[in-house]
DNA sequence: TGTGAGTTGATTTTT
DNA sequence: TCAACTCACA
């Protein structure tokens, strides 16, 4: 098969560097491409597929597996321009498995019309399983049980093989709940996300002939983001590459950020051991970022131990120094960034789409949304309540799910009384009991509602009406999807309820439901012919939030660093680089997790092409409490001497600014943020130069004065309001700052502290027994 | 059975 | 902060 490259291939190979070319022209045998950020990985993969096709390998023998739909789409469109008319299967692991499972469902105890449950559906089933076992959750949450089960599935540990690790309370619970949960899923003819992988892995393991057949069918397999594969994915790919080990994987251990989802870094670190005669290609030249950005990234990631060393380099220009900014508060952070963006756009230097703001957790997006709105800058958020997660959409889809798979427990529970039709909680649990007792589905139990004990006549009639309605919509099960959705909306009364509602939100819901109709229509056009309901449901189940991101629109992008993987932007702001957030508090105990957090920041940094700013706030409101923030320890690992720091006083100081600012964050007695805003004087604080300058002066004094103030207070016999008097939301006055309102209280006794927001928008913390803070009007 | 007020409790990342 | 859950009442 391996014919050498010819001059015919010049168009394909000419634009490539030698290492890239080496990877592209590798045809048979395992191939490991270690691709640093911005090293042209997608280009290599697509060019290689085009090259394989030119060598006469049929398109149907090639499969490209990606992590996200977005990545698959990107690959598809790139390949389309290289090798038009050729349809190579590209998609996510989950989609690939869903498709296989459709075909071989019976081998794992499912019917081919199985449902794919999303996280919310799965959670409902899990709760039911927990209840069934009669477990009182005291120290564990359904969340943690779900995580343990997910972990087990990704590690290919079935419900009957689960052995709890000793000493952990949760283990025993999982051991009991996992089999019940799995039984329920099978009874409902449903799978969760993890099952898609686990079932297929089991399928391949237990059916050698089928494995061989599929190995033969998919002779050339490419896996993108290999560093993020888990054991199940590894097993699947491995099983399909025994007779034809033409497995090409690309990845970067330094960009592995899904350990919490079971990704196993060993998969890539030990690829060379797993597959003999591996061809290894390293792509280390970066075409994306400036030298200064790349150096920052490199220095940071050097602090990780568990990695393959590599040296990133670029021919790109040096570029501006990376900025490291400290802000007094999150509000200042958002405001300043929005202002810089607004300014760059107004001057015509930049367009909104040139900018991206990254944060660790979605909850941090609000400040930035608000600030961008105030500056009338268009933006898009990758996350939020994604379309298919909205209640009204899930409701309507649940009808479709139940039509497609009448055994689905989650779908039944969701719609049986949506919209309200007089079927209450007790009736439903009686139906559930009846279903469990007689081993029938909930729909069938509902059919027998008349004979179920304890269900009164009124309720039984309501249930009968529901069943009749369900049977009516089932009549159109094989119609085009748009027609099914239309019938559901009409027959269920869902549309009527929304139309007659006064609630404005319901009008929005109605619009969303109409949008779903449009979706269905588009789907029908793409899939002519009837009976496509199942495929429509599969598509909707496997789309992710990140897929909604619009590449083309001219907007500022807001997203988590996880969502940013695989993207690039001219200017990037990474915000809230604070301990507890980055690294996240749940990762701080474990050095391996800290390394993953470091990689996450590495991913964020390496998205930037021309400019990068890292920032943190000294006070942050989180979960409704204002607390001092400590800069992320990762920031201290960066070469700060070559970065632009926001604190202009730094140069004058002999002590490193760092320790001091940390100290300041912890020392509330100063009564101020002790933040040097001098660096902002030019652009930022112009809107209100007076309060700012005053604040700066105050900073210098209060730190020293607190004690003296206390002394003076004693001498003068000034009466302080007792700390106990202060209440949340109370209006207060301060001799220096004027009128304000208490936004948070913390601590007890002499340490009792209050956060006060003043008229100028600033927030300050006071130790109440020290500060001359009085209730307003006294 | 449905609704609304009030309380509590928990807060990451995503196919 | 905010969503989920409880509980009382219509």
């Amino acid at each position: 098969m391996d014919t050498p490259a010819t001059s015919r291939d010049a168009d394909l190979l000419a634009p490539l560097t030698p290492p890239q070319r080496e990877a592209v022209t590798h045809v048979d045998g395992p191939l490991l491409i270690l691709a640093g950020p911005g090293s042209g990985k997608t280009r290599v993969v697509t060019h290689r597929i085009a090259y394989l096709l030119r060598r006469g390998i049929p398109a149907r023998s090639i499969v490209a597996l990606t992590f996200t739909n977005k990545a698959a789409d990107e690959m598809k469109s790139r390949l389309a321009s290289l090798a038009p008319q050729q349809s190579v299967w590209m998609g996510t692991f989950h989609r690939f498995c869903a498709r296989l499972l459709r075909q071989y469902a019976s081998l794992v105890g499912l019917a081919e019309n199985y449902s794919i449950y999303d996280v919310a559906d799965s959670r409902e089933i899990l709760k039911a399983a927990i209840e069934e076992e009669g477990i009182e959750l005291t120290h564990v949450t359904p969340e943690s049980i779900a995580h343990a089960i997910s972990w087990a599935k990704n590690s290919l540990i079935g419900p009957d093989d689960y052995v709890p690790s000793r000493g952990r309370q949760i283990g025993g619970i999982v051991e009991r709940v996992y089999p019940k949960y799995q039984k329920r899923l099978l009874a409902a003819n449903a799978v969760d996300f993890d099952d898609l992988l686990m079932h297929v892995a089991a399928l391949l393991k237990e059916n050698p002939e089928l494995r061989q057949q599929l190995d033969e069918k998919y002779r050339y397999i490419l896996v993108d983001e290999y560093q993020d594969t888990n054991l199940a994915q590894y097993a699947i790919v491995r099983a399909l590459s025994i007779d034809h080990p033409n497995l090409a994987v690309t990845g970067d251990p330094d960009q592995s950020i899904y350990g919490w989802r079971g990704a196993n870094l060993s998969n890539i670190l030990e690829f060379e051991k797993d597959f003999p005669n591996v061809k290894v290609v390293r792509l280390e030249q970066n075409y994306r970022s400036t030298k200064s950005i790349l150096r920052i990234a490199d220095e940071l990631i050097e602090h990780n131990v568990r990695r393959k060393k590599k040296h990133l380099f670029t021919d790109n220009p040096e570029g501006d120094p990376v900025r490291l900014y400290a802000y007094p508060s999150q509000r200042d952070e958002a405001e300043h960034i929005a202002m810089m963006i607004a300014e760059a756009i107004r001057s015509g230097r930049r367009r909104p789409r040139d900018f991206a703001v990254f944060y660790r957790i979605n909850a941090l997006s609000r400040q930035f949304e608000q600030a961008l709105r105030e500056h009338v800058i268009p933006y898009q958020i990758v996350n939020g309540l994604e379309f298919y997660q909205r209640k009204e959409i899930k409701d309507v889809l649940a009808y479709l799910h139940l039509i497609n798979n009448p055994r689905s427990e989650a779908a039944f529970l969701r719609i049986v009384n949506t919209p309200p039709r007089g079927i209450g909680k007790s009736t439903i649990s009686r139906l559930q009991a009846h279903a469990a007792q007689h081993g029938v589905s909930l729909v069938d139990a509902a059919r027998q509602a008349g004979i179920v004990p304890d269900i009164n006549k009124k309720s039984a009639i309501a249930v009968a009406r529901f069943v009749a309605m369900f049977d009516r919509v089932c009549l159109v099960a094989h119609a085009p999807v748009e027609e099914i959705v239309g019938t559901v909306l009409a027959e269920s009364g869902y549309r009527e309820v929304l139309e007659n509602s006064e609630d404005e939100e319901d009008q929005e819901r109605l619009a969303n439901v109409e949008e779903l109709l449009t979706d269905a229509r588009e789907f029908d056009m793409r899939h002519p012919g009837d009976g496509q309901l199942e495929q429509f449901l599969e598509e909707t189940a496997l789309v992710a939030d990140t897929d909604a991101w619009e590449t083309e629109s001219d907007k500022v992008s807001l997203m988590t660093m996880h969502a940013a993987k695989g993207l690039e932007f001219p200017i990037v702001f990474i915000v809230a680089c604070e301990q507890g957030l980055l690294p996240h508090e749940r990762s701080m105990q474990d050095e391996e997790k800290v390394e993953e957090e470091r990689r996450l920041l590495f991913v964020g940094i390496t998205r930037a092409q021309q400019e990068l700013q890292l920032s943190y706030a000294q006070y942050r409101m989180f979960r409704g409490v204002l607390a001092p923030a400590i800069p992320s320890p990762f920031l201290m690992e960066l070469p700060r001497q070559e970065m632009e720091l926001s604190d202009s006083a730094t140069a004058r100081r002999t002590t490193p600014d760092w320790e001091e600012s940390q100290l300041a964050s912890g020392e509330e007695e100063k009564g101020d943020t002790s933040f040097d805003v001098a660096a902002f004087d030019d652009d930022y604080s112009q809107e209100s130069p007076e309060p700012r300058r005053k604040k700066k002066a105050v900073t210098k004094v209060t730190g020293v004065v607190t004690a003296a103030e206390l002394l003076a207070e004693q001498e003068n016999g000034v009466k302080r309001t007792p700390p106990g008097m202060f209440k949340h939301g109370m209006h207060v006055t301060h001799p220096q700052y004027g009128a304000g309102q208490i936004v948070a209280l913390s601590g007890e006794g002499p340490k009792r502290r209050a956060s006060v927001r003043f008229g100028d928008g600033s927030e300050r913390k006071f130790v109440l027994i020290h500060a001359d803070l009085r209730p307003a009007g006294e």
Side-chain angles (χ1 to χ4, degrees):
Chain A
M1 192 64 86
D2 210 346
T3 38
T6 65
S7 55
R8 256 186 36 224
D9 300 314
D11 60 315
L12 207 56
L13 304 180
L16 304 175
T17 61
Q20 289 180 335
R21 200 172 301 155
E22 214 182 323
V24 166
T25 57
H26 175 92
V27 176
D28 287 306
L31 171 66
L32 168 63
I33 303 171
L34 287 169
S39 60
K41 178 193 63 177
T42 308
R43 161 183 258 208
V44 167
V45 171
T46 49
H47 279 241
R48 178 159 178 271
I49 294 174
Y51 187 83
L52 293 178
L53 291 169
R54 285 199 191 177
R55 299 265 89 61
I57 293 161
R60 67 188 134 74
S61 302
I62 306 172
V63 167
L65 297 172
T66 62
F67 205 67
T68 62
N69 294 303
K70 195 173 62 195
D73 291 344
E74 166 79 14
M75 236 181 239
K76 275 181 206 162
S77 72
R78 292 240 218 145
L79 185 67
S81 58
L82 286 174
Q85 308 296 320
Q86 298 264 26
S87 72
V88 173
W89 199 92
M90 298 179 171
T92 63
F93 262 102
H94 288 83
R95 223 173 258 278
F96 179 72
C97 289
R99 212 179 55 141
L100 275 181
L101 206 53
R102 244 358 126 192
Q103 246 184 89
Y104 305 103
S106 61
L107 294 176
V108 294
L110 290 164
E112 51 90 28
N113 63 332
Y114 71 84
S115 301
I116 300 170
Y117 280 180
D118 67 13
V119 175
D121 292 336
S122 312
R123 207 51 41 84
E124 287 307 310
I125 300 306
L126 179 63
K127 281 183 191 159
I130 293 168
E131 208 166 305
E132 186 189 341
E133 273 289 289
I135 293 170
E136 286 289 316
L137 296 180
T138 46
H139 297 292
V140 291
T141 60
E143 220 54 44
S144 56
I145 297 173
H147 187 261
I149 292 177
S150 174
W151 176 85
K153 287 184 172 183
N154 287 147
S155 309
L156 299 180
I157 298 168
D160 302 324
D161 313 325
Y162 188 85
V163 181
S165 55
R166 269 170 301 155
R168 298 214 47 207
Q169 189 204 1
I170 189 170
I173 295 176
V174 173
E175 189 182 19
R176 285 164 65 197
V177 172
Y178 183 12
K180 286 280 187 300
Y181 168 72
Q182 199 64 6
K183 211 178 113 200
R184 274 190 120 92
L185 282 176
L186 284 176
N189 190 27
V191 301
D192 62 21
F193 284 138
D194 303 315
D195 280 340
L196 287 171
L197 305 175
M198 186 175 76
H199 282 320
V200 169
L203 202 70
L204 293 168
K205 190 177 171 205
E206 286 154 20
N207 302 276
E209 274 179 33
L210 177 62
R211 187 213 63 73
Q212 201 177 359
Q213 194 188 321
L214 293 173
D215 191 344
E216 176 70 28
K217 184 173 174 188
Y218 303 117
R219 291 174 71 146
Y220 292 84
I221 297 178
L222 296 92
V223 181
D224 194 24
E225 308 283 11
Y226 192 69
Q227 77 280 356
D228 284 328
T229 52
N230 57 39
L231 185 69
Q233 289 163 324
Y234 170 83
I236 291 165
V237 170
R238 181 91 224 225
L240 294 175
S241 309
I242 293 176
D243 307 323
H244 302 280
N246 309 317
L247 175 65
V249 305
T250 65
D252 178 1
D254 290 335
Q255 293 184 63
S256 167
I257 54 177
Y258 286 97
W260 52 277
R261 239 171 71 184
N264 190 348
L265 203 42
S266 312
N267 288 167
I268 192 162
L269 292 178
E270 286 165 27
F271 187 83
E272 292 164 79
K273 283 184 209 146
D274 287 343
F275 292 87
N277 308 316
V278 179
K279 168 102 176 173
V280 181
V281 178
R282 287 168 175 272
L283 304 178
E284 294 177 315
Q285 179 168 2
N286 177 296
Y287 302 95
R288 179 185 295 153
S289 310
T290 62
K291 284 197 176 69
S292 50
I293 292 170
L294 206 59
R295 268 202 311 277
I296 299 287
D298 205 34
E299 283 244 3
L300 175 74
I301 206 64
E302 278 283 316
H303 286 79
N304 270 6
V305 176
R306 194 158 180 247
R307 66 187 290 257
K308 274 183 195 280
K309 283 245 176 212
K310 65 176 177 302
H311 181 66
L312 301 174
F313 67 97
T314 183
D315 286 341
N316 288 343
E318 170 68 22
D320 295 337
V322 173
R323 300 191 296 270
L324 175 53
Y325 277 17
Y327 294 101
S329 74
Q330 54 180 355
R331 170 77 207 152
D332 298 290
E333 184 181 46
E335 170 59 26
H336 185 228
I337 289 173
M339 236 187 82
M340 289 192 285
I341 294 175
E343 172 53 33
I345 294 171
R346 198 174 32 202
S347 72
R349 293 198 312 277
R350 298 288 186 184
R351 307 161 47 153
R353 59 180 296 175
D354 294 338
F355 298 92
V357 178
F358 300 158
Y359 33 78
R360 175 65 232 265
I361 58 173
N362 279 313
L364 293 170
S365 71
R366 275 185 50 183
Q367 293 287 328
F368 297 93
E369 288 177 66
Q370 199 190 333
L372 290 170
R373 263 202 306 273
E374 279 165 15
H375 286 268
V376 204
I377 302 165
Y379 66 89
Q380 59 175 335
I381 309 183
V382 180
N383 92 306
L385 259 195
E386 177 249 339
F387 187 68
Y388 292 106
Q389 300 290 340
R390 288 169 201 269
K391 180 187 180 307
E392 60 275 19
I393 300 302
K394 288 207 69 175
D395 287 345
V396 178
L397 285 177
Y399 279 91
L400 304 195
H401 269 114
L402 200 63
I403 293 168
N404 180 242
N405 172 21
R407 277 159 61 191
S408 175
E409 182 180 357
F412 180 92
L413 293 177
R414 181 171 265 276
I415 64 170
V416 65
N417 198 36
T418 314
R421 43 176 77 95
I423 302 172
K425 225 168 143 186
S426 49
T427 304
I428 293 171
S429 55
R430 278 167 200 149
L431 286 175
Q432 279 180 300
H434 182 81
Q437 202 183 336
H438 296 84
V440 297
S441 71
L442 283 170
V443 172
D444 288 336
R447 285 184 199 289
Q448 304 160 8
I451 59 160
V452 175
D454 301 332
I455 292 188
N456 61 43
K457 200 169 166 208
K458 198 174 148 211
S459 302
I461 291 171
V463 173
R465 267 207 212 105
F466 167 74
V467 173
M469 181 276 297
F470 177 65
D471 286 341
R472 278 200 305 281
V473 295
C474 280
L475 294 176
V476 295
H478 298 285
V481 180
E482 184 188 4
E483 192 183 329
I484 306 176
V485 176
T487 308
V488 163
L489 289 175
E491 292 285 340
S492 68
Y494 207 95
R495 169 177 272 149
E496 204 187 333
V497 168
L498 291 181
E499 277 173 351
N500 296 337
S501 166
E502 306 274 302
D503 196 340
E504 246 179 65
E505 271 185 38
D506 282 338
Q507 297 312 308
E508 205 172 300
R509 293 204 176 100
L510 191 62
N512 286 330
V513 168
E514 300 291 344
E515 179 71 31
L516 183 65
L517 268 172
T518 311
D519 252 32
R521 190 177 317 132
E522 279 170 13
F523 177 87
D524 288 332
M525 288 198 295
R526 268 184 292 135
H527 302 83
D530 291 351
Q532 298 294 335
L533 176 58
E534 193 169 286
Q535 209 180 334
F536 177 74
L537 291 172
E538 185 174 307
E539 262 192 38
T540 56
L542 295 177
V543 293
D545 300 353
T546 34
D547 301 332
W549 183 67
E550 303 166 43
T551 321
E552 297 306 320
S553 61
D554 195 10
K555 295 172 182 169
V556 175
S557 293
L558 306 182
M559 66 184 86
T560 64
M561 272 178 271
H562 281 91
K565 189 159 87 157
L567 305 178
E568 58 183 15
F569 298 90
I571 303 169
V572 167
F573 296 93
I574 299 179
V575 301
C577 299
E578 292 148 29
Q579 194 158 148
L581 247 24
L582 185 74
H584 193 273
E585 57 183 336
R586 296 202 182 180
S587 304
M588 291 196 308
Q589 294 70 346
D590 185 342
E591 187 49 38
E592 249 184 58
K593 287 186 179 168
V594 171
E595 290 210 347
E596 178 154 316
E597 299 277 314
R598 195 180 278 113
R599 290 194 292 268
L600 189 56
L601 180 56
F602 175 79
V603 167
I605 290 172
T606 53
R607 302 306 96 194
Q609 295 170 306
Q610 295 157 24
E611 287 179 40
L612 173 67
Q613 169 177 322
L614 306 168
S615 64
Y616 63 93
Q618 291 178 313
Y619 281 89
R620 186 169 296 277
M621 175 88 95
F622 194 53
R623 288 183 206 162
V625 252
L626 183 77
I630 300 170
S632 167
F634 295 151
L635 298 177
M636 293 175 232
E637 298 169 357
L638 303 177
R640 293 202 307 289
Q641 67 286 354
E642 60 176 79
M643 298 168 76
E644 179 190 326
L645 305 182
S646 68
D647 192 336
S648 66
T650 309
R652 299 195 303 271
R653 290 207 192 123
T654 45
T655 49
D657 58 299
W658 210 262
E659 285 72 6
E660 214 170 285
S661 72
Q662 259 198 72
L663 226 101
S665 311
E667 268 186 15
E668 284 141 11
E669 280 75 11
K670 289 191 178 181
D672 200 349
T673 56
S674 83
F675 176 70
D676 191 338
V677 288
F680 294 153
D681 279 353
D682 295 339
D683 46 2
Y684 173 52
S685 41
Q686 262 172 16
E687 41 174 353
S688 54
E690 274 320 303
R692 291 284 172 199
R693 208 152 293 149
K694 192 169 156 196
K695 182 169 157 191
K696 192 180 165 191
V698 168
T699 304
K700 302 279 181 217
V701 187
T702 37
V704 193
V705 167
T706 310
E709 227 174 33
L710 199 61
L711 207 71
E713 167 200 319
Q714 281 173 351
E715 282 171 5
N716 300 340
V718 178
K719 279 196 193 117
R720 293 276 188 245
T721 310
M725 291 276 298
F726 293 97
K727 296 281 182 292
H728 191 271
M730 185 186 260
H731 291 273
V732 294
T733 56
H734 187 276
Q736 210 148 17
Y737 306 112
Q741 189 179 11
I742 295 183
V743 294
L745 287 160
S746 62
E748 290 304 325
K751 286 185 177 166
R752 186 77 171 160
R753 285 163 277 188
S755 297
V756 181
R757 176 174 283 272
F758 290 97
D760 64 344
S762 67
E763 258 175 37
R764 294 182 171 81
K765 261 202 163 184
F766 299 96
V767 176
L768 288 171
I769 59 161
H770 296 318
D772 188 8
L773 205 62
R774 298 156 192 244
E778 251 187 44

